[in-house]
Amino acid sequence: MTEIILEVKGPIGLTVEAEAVCPHRLSGLAPGEIEAQLVWQGPAQLPLSDFFEVEVREGEGEVRIAIEGDASRIKRIGQGMRSGCIEIDGSCGMHLGEEMEGGSILVRGNAGSWAGMEMRGGLLEIEGDAGDHVGSAHRGSWRGMSGGEIRIGGSAKSQLGGGMIGGKISVARDVQNFCAIRQSGGLILVHGRAVRGVGAEMTGGVAAVLGGIERFSPGFVETGMEEDPVLGGEKRPGTFIRYCGDYAISKNPKGTLFVRG
Amino acid sequence: MMFRNLVCPVCGASCDDIQVEMTAEGIVAKNACKMGNAKFQELASPHRIRQPLICQGGEMLPSGWEEALDRAADILASSSRPLIFIGSETSCEAMEVGLHLGEYLGGVVDSNSTVCHGPTAMGIQEAGRVGATAGQSKNRADLTVYWGSNPLESMPRHMSRYAVYPRGYWTRRGRFDRTVITVDPRRSLTAENSDLHIQLNPNTDFELLSALLALLHGQQPHPSAEEVTGVAIRQMEEMLELMKGCNYGVIYAGLGMASSYGKHRNAEMAFHLVQELNNHTKFVIGALRGHCNVAGFNQVASYLYGYPFGLDFSRGYPRYNPGEFTAVDLLRERDVDAALVVCADLVSHFPADCASYLGEIPMICIDIASCPTTMLSDVVLPGVIDAMECDGTFYRLDDVPIYFQPFTASPFPFTASNQHTLQQLMERVRGRKEAGS
Ligand code: SF4
């Protein structure tokens, strides 16, 4: 495995957009070439070395990028990723792993909004908290995440899985508003609580909130109870109420929402 | 001398029937409401900024026009990512120049709708909108719904000129031919003058709209809906009966819908509700736009660059992502390094973090009167009052363009309008950039 270690040099002023930081884009490049890769800061295109110390440990096979230091003002890391892996020591900025198709990303800290937006495959793991719009659709687009898996160790904010058509998202703690909005496929599993708007405009797929919902979406109708249902490949102990919705958006919706009874 | 058919530059109603008389005692404005009249008095206001100002050693000092323009151009040309914020009380022509300046500098251009009906515009993008002009609704609507809006206090002539009281072609008896519903958590003046007041709990518009839609789709809403919204299902049904039973209904959505929790999701649901109601009767929806030309920025920016607000030009082409490229978010994230503020008092109206960051970065302001934003600016260029001192175009609340003509001229020898000021600034910025490259 070739290892590329990128150490953030110091505090970053205006945010940086660094879609160049992606295994398949850096694979096969000499250290000098990696340093010369361009990233955006406002309208300026600047070399990667302006923001990172670059160290390369040559090896065989896939590329692993390790980012050290505070990358919370660096956006678009791993955008369109296809293979290999990225490990981020601390936190990172918006659009992490946007439109990724394969490979894996691990963030030990928090991730900004739009992580895994329109993701198609691969694994995106955030050990801390995530911002808004995780795995959601682009503005103006109707379809969000279609494949792969997102795991969040902490909480996520609003519009998680917006427009999701496939894949799986799990959140270990809580979500805020409009989780699973316009979901039409795939699975969203929230282990903690949700505030409001869960499953709004949902027409398919499965969402489950194990810790309870503060304000229920009015367009969901109870369809039965289930004991210890299997959700996301695992048995979830307890009695769950199953709902169908969202009747606010369709006369015949196929969205399923599980809430612990 | 009496001037007729003038356009009022205050709120989104863009009333175009104002008469102004300049007398020895002062300015007399007829047909204008209280808000409009106050604006016409600004012409002779002692607060008016009458010369350019430059901040020197923490003090705002009068300066020459050339010197102020040079300083402003220096700030913009040397910034890495400027925010150009164009308020709404100026013409589309000025907005166009501001947008081009933003594109040229690779900056970000935003406008008032980012903190007002931006969510409504986003709702339109999500769901589409069935709309109508104010004239169509005036002539046809026998049901008017004010949702989260209180026009009697925020747009005083809306009810009398466009929506409720005027006699229309198919609504010959005016108010007697119309039913008015107000949806508002408060017992506002408008609610008091309505036939039905739906007094929902604050921030529950989304749930109420969803519940109405579920009922329209033949399902009883989740039992918690009554408690959450504070509106009984029976009352929702009564409201739906009125809506389905009318010949032509119109919802005027206010900031109570667009800026309460849920934001564009509320607006989106309202657009869906209106679409669904069109299976039963004719129904339309429009936003009650607060400021006079706030709709204009959305129109001009969409026409020129494809997006209604919050446009980022850093890649040389426009990008749009509210939450990332919108003024409040950029200032909170400290992601711009200079600001040009045209006809907007951002320091008073933005969240405290954003306002204090504006105090840290170099700022240029074009305004007619001193305000906290001009006080924190490095350069203040005096503003020209559109529709009084120069001609141009506003878009009315229903997205109809209104051309306006002035009744007096710019009081300044150095600029004829805000458009002219921005053009001069653009030229200077261009000169610096070209000399530097
Ligand atoms: S309603 Fe609005 S546009 Fe009409 S006169 Fe009053 S302030 Fe001016």
Side-chain angles (χ1 to χ4, degrees), chain B residues 8-15 18 31-37 154-158 161:
Chain B
C8 171
V10 177
C11 83
S14 296
C15 297
I18 312 296
N31 291 347
C33 69
K34 221 162 69 178
M35 279 158 49
N37 184 52
S154 64
M155 192 179 281
R157 294 183 74 205
H158 187 261
R161 207 169 128 79

Side-chain angles (χ1 to χ4, degrees), chain B residues 66-383:
Chain B
E66 299 298 323
E67 193 190 343
L69 263 192
D70 277 337
R71 175 94 177 258
D74 285 341
I75 290 173
L76 290 175
S78 62
S79 75
S80 298
R81 194 187 199 200
L83 166 68
I84 296 177
F85 191 94
I86 309 175
S88 41
E89 286 182 27
T90 194
S91 66
C92 291
E93 289 78 356
M95 290 170 172
E96 186 188 344
V97 184
L99 278 156
H100 289 324
L101 180 61
E103 182 188 17
Y104 180 73
L105 289 167
V108 184
V109 190
D110 206 355
S111 172
N112 276 10
S113 60
T114 195
V115 285
C116 105
H117 270 294
T120 310
M122 291 166 70
I124 297 174
Q125 290 171 329
E126 296 282 345
R129 178 172 80 106
V130 189
T133 63
Q136 280 171 308
S137 297
K138 171 188 144 181
N139 283 316
R140 293 168 190 271
D142 57 349
L143 175 68
T144 301
V145 184
Y146 285 112
W147 194 304
S149 55
N150 178 16
L152 273 182
E153 280 164 304
S154 64
M155 192 179 281
R157 294 183 74 205
H158 187 261
M159 285 174 116
S160 60
R161 207 169 128 79
Y162 300 119
V164 177
Y165 299 108
R167 293 161 196 270
Y169 194 85
W170 283 281
T171 47
R172 294 194 174 238
R173 297 183 308 141
R175 175 68 174 97
F176 301 108
D177 278 342
R178 305 187 210 261
T179 306
V180 181
I181 304 177
T182 295
V183 183
D184 199 320
R186 299 164 309 161
R187 184 85 185 145
S188 65
L189 210 55
T190 307
E192 274 172 21
N193 283 283
S194 303
D195 302 301
L196 176 65
H197 177 201
I198 302 287
Q199 198 160 11
L200 78 174
N201 290 330
N203 295 314
T204 61
D205 302 66
F206 180 82
E207 282 77 9
L208 180 55
L209 287 159
S210 289
L212 289 171
L213 270 160
L215 284 166
L216 268 182
H217 287 142
Q219 286 292 344
Q220 279 297 307
H222 188 269
S224 66
E226 280 194 329
E227 200 198 317
V228 167
T229 60
V231 180
I233 303 284
R234 182 188 38 75
Q235 223 185 354
M236 294 182 201
E237 283 167 341
E238 182 192 350
M239 183 178 175
L240 275 181
E241 283 318 308
L242 282 173
M243 290 171 126
K244 288 194 290 188
C246 73
N247 290 323
Y248 180 112
V250 52
I251 297 180
Y252 294 106
L255 287 186
M257 181 192 285
S259 276
S260 61
Y261 293 150
K263 296 250 171 182
H264 64 296
R265 297 301 176 194
N266 300 343
E268 188 184 343
M269 271 301 171
F271 294 130
H272 282 308
L273 176 68
V274 168
Q275 280 156 15
E276 206 52 45
L277 283 166
N278 276 284
N279 288 330
H280 302 270
T281 181
K282 175 70 188 162
F283 227 96
V284 300
I285 179 167
L288 269 195
R289 310 299 304 255
H291 289 271
C292 72
N293 196 25
V294 66
F297 186 87
N298 300 147
Q299 293 293 326
V300 175
S302 301
Y303 169 72
L304 289 173
Y305 296 110
Y307 302 117
F309 64 101
L311 299 103
D312 170 67
F313 290 102
S314 58
R315 300 256 171 142
Y317 54 86
R319 292 190 298 174
Y320 167 75
N321 193 16
E324 183 177 11
F325 303 134
T326 28
V328 169
D329 305 274
L330 289 166
L331 292 168
R332 188 196 54 225
E333 297 298 322
R334 309 168 78 84
D335 208 8
V336 287
D337 63 351
L340 165 62
V341 182
V342 185
C343 305
D345 184 8
L346 297 195
V347 174
S348 304
H349 296 111
F350 270 19
D353 287 359
C354 305
S356 74
Y357 184 61
L358 279 170
E360 289 175 38
I361 57 176
M363 177 159 64
I364 306 147
C365 184
I366 301 178
D367 214 321
I368 60 161
S370 79
C371 61
T373 305
T374 60
M375 290 172 204
L376 281 187
S377 295
D378 294 85
V379 183
V380 177
L381 302 171

Side-chain angles (χ1 to χ4, degrees), chain A residues 8-17 40-42 46 50-51 70-75 93, chain B residues 80-81 329-338 357 360-361:
Chain A
V8 181
K9 275 185 168 170
I12 291 175
L14 296 177
T15 55
V16 171
E17 295 189 12
W40 294 84
Q41 189 176 41
L46 303 164
D50 278 14
F51 304 100
D70 180 17
S72 56
R73 290 182 76 78
I74 303 178
K75 301 181 190 175
Chain B
S80 298
R81 194 187 199 200
D329 305 274
L330 289 166
L331 292 168
R332 188 196 54 225
E333 297 298 322
R334 309 168 78 84
D335 208 8
V336 287
D337 63 351
Y357 184 61
E360 289 175 38
I361 57 176

